[in-house]
Amino acid sequence: MERGRRLNDETPYVVAVRALCEFTAKEGDLDLRFTPSPSAQEGIAGHALVTARRGAGYQREVSLAGAFGALRVRGRADGYDPERGQLDEIKTYRGDLAAMPANHRQLHWAQARIYGHLLCQKLGLAELRLALVYFDIGSQRETLFYEDHGAASLQAYFERQCGLFLAWAEREMAHRSARDAQLRALRFPHPQFRPGQRALAEAMYKASSRSCALLAQAPTGIGKTVGSLFPMLKASAEHGLDKVFFLAAKTSGRQLALDACATIKRHAGALPLRVLELSAKTSACEHPDKACHGDSCPLARGFYDRLPAARAAALRADILDKASVRDVALAHQVCPYYLAAELARWADVVVGDYNYYFDISAMLYSLTVANDWKVNVLVDEAHNMVSRARKMYSAELRHAALKALRKGAPEALKKPLARLGRQWTQLEKAQQELPNPEYRVYDAIPEKFLDALQGASGAIGDYFAEHPRAVDAELQRFYFDALLFTRLSESFGEHSLFDASKEAGGTLLCIRNIIPAPFLKQRFGACRSSALFSATLSPWNYYSDTLGMPDDTAWVDVDSPFDAGQLAVRVVGAISTRYQHRAASLAPIVVLMARQYAEQPGNYLAFFSSFDYMEQVAALFAERHPDVPLWRQERRMDEAGRAQFLARFRADGRGIGFAVLGGSFGEGIDLPGARLIGAFIATLGLPQINPVNEQIRQRMAAVFGAGYDYTYLYPGIQKVVQAAGRVIRSESDRGVVYLIDDRFARPEVRRLLPAWWHVALAG
């Protein structure tokens, strides 16, 4: 839905033709049966080919607009042929046109009729022929369906659809007006700001005022979630925002945001603020054993018929968290996941994972662009963004998977899969002749391999289109992987690597994103303001460079509410934790830990660079000090195991928990007071030196001139500071942190540690 302010003649509510029709003309089942659809590039090319076939007087991309009361409808018709008096609505597709669900066709006709009325009104036409033009990407054939209308019938249809939408728009703008009025008067939901919290809130509001991005380093314990949401909600009214997106790396971060919104709403009384949580489809699905269409899932059957009532009921709820959306969805017998996706259009605050705005097919980003929303984006625990964004724009293919597919492939796919297999085998033979056949980096993706991959994925797509009921999970998974690989190959450049790693069954081919900046720039550009915040965002230029933040990005380092007297930070320079010295480090580390525990019994966390190293120290400690309770992080620990590990940290308990740095317990856990009084960190946290990381180092050196720092040092110290941050969680906490390695005493490392720490050399 496009933005509007008040429903009156001076400031109309503007809506796109497509958005209007999707709201008023969708009915019947939710039908997401897998049928390969054309890519965006194929769709554009298909439209261009169809219009190029028309006569010399054919008009393309015809801008149209019209009004109904306070509603203004606008869009672009695909094409108009004045000689024939025909307006074309062009749709590209793959496969059997007869398999297209009827409600899809109905939506297409609705769009054609709305455009038809707008064209008749613009040109003063008395009658018009409408044509739905379906263009098959595979065969490049057109199939046309016609309707002949008089201008009066098209006007009546237009007014009927607008009337259906206008009633909803009136309520929406009343909500918006009431929301903004109360947000302008919004007061901070606590008696006073915590130390540092006001500085963070002011920086957030200023960033929105200036319409710029912000990197905010703010220590744990100041209330960053409320301190970021409060100013952005104030900005919603003052700066004309449509929505605020709060994006988190983990479920715990989403819950903190929901709790903060609930606190703000309670303090403000009857604040009409719609807060929505988006969760993953896998966790929201009620019937994971069923397919997403009406013939299989009861919650997909008649979805669009029941959606209006479900939507209206949901928007009366206080906080639309996952459980609330599910309750409404099941009460109206609609799918919870797709109800939540619909509600994102009408929510004021949307809370979800990073991928909803930043990944290659991000729903919130797509809606923002399509509807011209004015949004502010908040990114919690933003130190995770570099690694997460790299994964979003990377793709993998395994030769072993292709070999398995070829054994039972349908006859129509044998030749294209065999051709791909031959090209892959040639790559492996050439790699086998290298001095290091285990790993190879290519300057470019070989064209012959890419051609074969595109041919195979096209053939698989055609096969699925011709056999819509065929179910082959492995073939479908390979197809999706190939599509992503092909899509990323189109933008391959210095921001990524193409490499091949030898593994069982063949090789692993990877387009490995190193620098997400080129992909994320447009995401940052689409929002009014973005604010990335975390306790560890130093040095700021590392995050700004790698994430592609705007040139005018502001930086704030919020003073800590803690003082050096609360946390004793001791560098143990007599021990080296380098790989070659680890055997010699075991006994000294055990002595150090035992001495500290004897001096001050309580709960401690001990962090190591790997499971092997952790287990060696834990085994020796248990052997020499069997009276001290200890527990260990297990490999591939499930959620129940993690909860059990954390439950050992009781306020009245004692013992040492052994964990791996950068794992589940190095960040995002809260153990205040006596639940945790100290930490031993026996590693710099540096990523492992291996062929991939060395390639990343070379690329970082070439692009930013800081290969070692950007690849190893900054990511490593960030994990150390995050782990140390588990010890002091409030202004009343006291504790100790041991940094065990001689390199912690180096000036370039010390500069990356929090300024409020007083670091001393341990005796």
Side-chain angles (χ1 to χ4, degrees):
M1 217 58 57
E2 296 194 24
R3 286 184 284 113
R5 289 295 169 260
R6 298 183 308 277
L7 282 179
N8 55 47
D9 293 336
E10 289 75 28
T11 309
Y13 191 105
V14 181
V15 62
V17 170
R18 177 166 180 167
L20 171 67
C21 294
E22 286 182 342
F23 186 90
T24 61
K26 275 191 171 181
E27 63 181 40
D29 295 351
L30 177 71
D31 195 335
L32 297 171
R33 270 177 273 229
F34 173 67
T35 52
S37 58
S39 66
Q41 293 87 347
E42 288 175 327
I44 292 170
H47 274 67
L49 183 56
V50 170
T51 58
R53 292 172 173 176
R54 302 304 189 251
Y58 190 79
Q59 299 174 17
R60 300 167 180 81
E61 296 289 317
V62 183
S63 294
L64 298 169
F68 178 77
L71 195 64
R72 187 168 186 269
V73 182
R74 67 184 185 188
R76 290 178 182 270
D78 291 327
Y80 172 58
D81 187 339
E83 288 188 14
R84 302 176 64 186
Q86 177 175 306
L87 181 142
D88 292 341
E89 177 70 11
I90 303 169
K91 303 295 182 184
T92 57
Y93 75 100
R94 284 184 180 276
D96 183 6
L97 185 59
M100 178 179 289
N103 58 356
H104 289 202
R105 183 80 52 81
Q106 178 172 318
L107 179 62
H108 300 160
W109 274 125
Q111 292 172 309
R113 292 165 190 159
I114 297 295
Y115 283 126
H117 163 71
L118 297 177
L119 185 67
C120 286
Q121 186 181 58
K122 179 178 181 178
L123 301 181
L125 303 177
E127 58 185 16
L128 181 67
R129 167 166 282 197
L130 305 180
L132 280 186
V133 183
Y134 288 103
F135 179 76
D136 187 339
I137 291 294
S139 67
Q140 300 203 334
R141 289 196 299 266
E142 298 177 31
T143 302
L144 280 76
F145 299 91
Y146 299 102
E147 283 186 351
D148 292 311
H149 286 274
S153 68
L154 290 174
Q155 181 178 350
Y157 184 84
F158 173 79
E159 292 177 351
R160 187 164 57 252
Q161 302 307 110
C162 287
L164 291 171
F165 180 75
L166 191 58
W168 178 267
E170 291 277 6
R171 290 193 294 269
E172 284 304 295
M173 295 316 297
H175 161 78
R176 175 68 171 264
S177 179
R179 182 201 77 172
D180 286 356
Q182 292 198 43
L183 287 179
R184 286 189 181 92
L186 189 65
R187 295 291 180 265
F188 192 66
H190 298 294
Q192 60 186 19
F193 286 93
R194 295 183 190 178
Q197 198 175 38
R198 179 184 289 276
L200 175 64
E202 289 177 349
M204 294 276 182
Y205 190 84
K206 288 177 181 177
S208 181
S209 298
R210 292 171 49 200
S211 189
C212 72
L214 172 70
L215 279 167
Q217 182 166 269
T220 298
I222 70 167
K224 291 192 292 292
T225 307
V226 171
S228 60
L229 276 167
F230 169 72
M232 289 308 187
L233 290 176
K234 290 282 287 185
S236 292
E238 298 295 337
H239 305 152
L241 299 182
D242 295 300
K243 301 179 187 300
V244 172
F245 298 152
F246 187 101
L247 308 175
K250 298 179 180 178
T251 304
S252 57
R254 298 207 309 266
Q255 189 58 54
L256 287 173
L258 294 171
D259 293 343
C261 288
T263 298
I264 292 170
K265 282 172 65 69
R266 282 196 304 271
H267 184 264
L271 173 63
L273 186 73
R274 296 170 178 168
V275 180
L276 170 69
E277 179 185 17
L278 295 177
S279 55
K281 184 177 180 181
T282 51
S283 66
C285 181
E286 288 292 314
H287 299 289
D289 59 323
K290 294 178 171 60
C292 293
H293 57 81
D295 293 337
S296 177
C297 179
L299 301 183
R301 191 177 307 123
F303 175 88
Y304 291 109
D305 300 329
R306 293 189 291 273
L307 176 60
R311 178 172 54 211
L315 294 180
R316 291 193 293 268
D318 188 42
I319 297 283
L320 284 162
D321 60 6
K322 179 182 176 181
S324 297
V325 172
R326 178 178 183 270
D327 289 344
V328 173
L330 297 186
H332 291 80
Q333 284 297 288
V334 297
C335 171
Y337 177 78
Y338 287 102
L339 174 60
E342 166 67 19
L343 295 174
R345 299 171 181 268
W346 313 105
D348 303 308
V349 178
V350 181
V351 178
D353 188 88
Y354 294 165
N355 66 287
Y356 278 106
Y357 188 80
F358 287 106
D359 82 4
I360 200 167
S361 56
M363 179 182 74
L364 292 179
Y365 170 73
S366 298
L367 286 172
T368 297
V369 173
N371 296 300
D372 192 27
W373 286 340
K374 187 185 290 186
V375 303
N376 278 1
V377 177
L378 294 169
V379 182
D380 185 29
E381 299 295 350
H383 60 274
N384 291 295
M385 268 293 290
V386 176
S387 60
R388 285 287 303 276
R390 283 173 171 170
K391 291 178 181 177
M392 293 175 194
Y393 295 95
S394 296
E396 294 182 345
L397 291 173
R398 283 187 157 80
H399 200 175
L402 175 62
K403 291 176 180 177
L405 285 180
R406 290 180 60 188
K407 291 179 181 178
E411 192 62 35
L413 300 180
K414 289 186 180 298
K415 286 186 178 180
L417 292 179
R419 180 183 173 226
L420 176 59
R422 288 194 297 272
Q423 291 298 324
W424 208 322
T425 299
Q426 288 183 21
L427 296 183
E428 291 176 343
K429 287 180 178 178
Q431 185 167 334
Q432 195 61 37
E433 297 173 0
L434 297 175
N436 176 20
E438 300 297 315
Y439 181 75
R440 180 182 180 181
V441 175
Y442 292 77
D443 293 331
I445 305 173
E447 288 187 13
K448 290 184 178 180
F449 172 80
L450 195 55
D451 287 344
L453 180 64
Q454 291 170 333
S457 59
I460 298 172
D462 291 341
Y463 173 79
F464 278 127
E466 293 165 6
H467 303 82
R469 297 188 181 277
V471 179
D472 187 330
E474 294 304 315
L475 182 60
Q476 197 173 107
R477 185 176 297 111
F478 184 84
Y479 176 64
F480 289 146
D481 290 343
L483 287 181
L484 177 59
F485 199 97
T486 301
R487 183 173 177 182
L488 289 175
S489 72
E490 295 170 355
S491 57
F492 184 75
E494 67 175 2
H495 51 73
S496 299
L497 299 172
F498 173 59
D499 58 24
S501 305
K502 194 173 181 180
E503 61 176 17
T507 52
L508 168 68
L509 300 180
C510 185
I511 296 178
R512 193 184 306 275
N513 179 248
I514 305 303
I515 306 168
F519 298 105
L520 300 188
K521 279 184 178 179
Q522 60 183 345
R523 266 59 175 169
F524 289 119
C527 55
R528 175 186 172 90
S529 175
S530 56
L532 282 64
F533 56 98
S534 170
T536 50
L537 284 181
S538 290
W540 68 270
N541 57 291
Y542 166 72
Y543 293 94
S544 180
D545 288 345
T546 54
L547 296 176
M549 302 192 70
D551 293 338
D552 63 349
T553 297
W555 161 254
V556 61
D557 191 356
V558 178
D559 291 337
S560 174
F562 312 132
D563 61 62
Q566 290 181 252
L567 183 67
V569 182
R570 299 168 184 170
V571 170
V572 183
I575 298 176
S576 168
T577 63
R578 297 170 181 84
Y579 184 78
Q580 63 269 32
H581 302 147
R582 285 183 187 168
S585 73
L586 302 181
I589 291 174
V590 167
V591 169
L592 170 70
M593 293 171 63
R595 184 175 67 230
Q596 172 61 33
Y597 186 87
E599 291 175 0
Q600 189 178 6
N603 292 318
Y604 293 83
L605 266 169
F607 293 99
F608 299 86
S609 57
S610 67
F611 278 100
D612 288 341
Y613 194 19
M614 177 197 78
E615 288 163 355
Q616 290 175 42
V617 177
L620 184 60
F621 191 96
E623 176 186 324
R624 295 189 178 182
H625 303 282
D627 55 319
V628 178
L630 64 84
W631 52 100
R632 312 179 197 187
Q633 177 182 354
E634 303 293 336
R635 299 172 192 258
R636 294 175 291 279
M637 208 172 204
D638 60 18
E639 188 173 341
R642 291 192 293 270
Q644 187 176 12
F645 182 95
L646 292 174
R648 298 287 296 269
F649 292 90
R650 301 187 307 274
D652 60 347
R654 294 182 178 182
I656 302 176
F658 286 73
V660 173
L661 189 70
S664 303
F665 308 112
E667 62 174 272
I669 62 170
D670 195 21
L671 300 171
R675 292 186 66 191
L676 184 68
I677 64 169
F680 307 94
I681 304 175
T683 173
L684 249 70
L686 305 182
Q688 182 183 12
I689 295 178
N690 57 36
V692 172
N693 283 335
E694 282 299 283
Q695 287 295 324
I696 295 175
R697 180 185 62 78
Q698 293 176 26
R699 186 62 53 86
M700 291 298 195
V703 176
F704 302 118
Y708 175 79
D709 290 350
Y710 275 36
T711 306
Y712 294 105
L713 184 59
Y714 297 159
I717 298 303
Q718 170 254 307
K719 288 185 285 187
V720 170
V721 176
Q722 278 288 326
R726 302 311 97 200
V727 178
I728 301 297
R729 308 297 292 174
S730 74
E731 294 174 67
S732 61
D733 283 0
R734 297 290 185 274
V736 61
V737 170
Y738 284 90
L739 304 178
I740 306 172
D741 193 281
D742 59 282
R743 291 167 289 181
F744 280 114
R746 293 179 178 176
E748 67 271 21
V749 174
R750 292 278 291 271
R751 282 195 295 269
L752 299 174
L753 302 178
W756 68 274
W757 286 8
H758 176 68
V759 182
L761 292 174

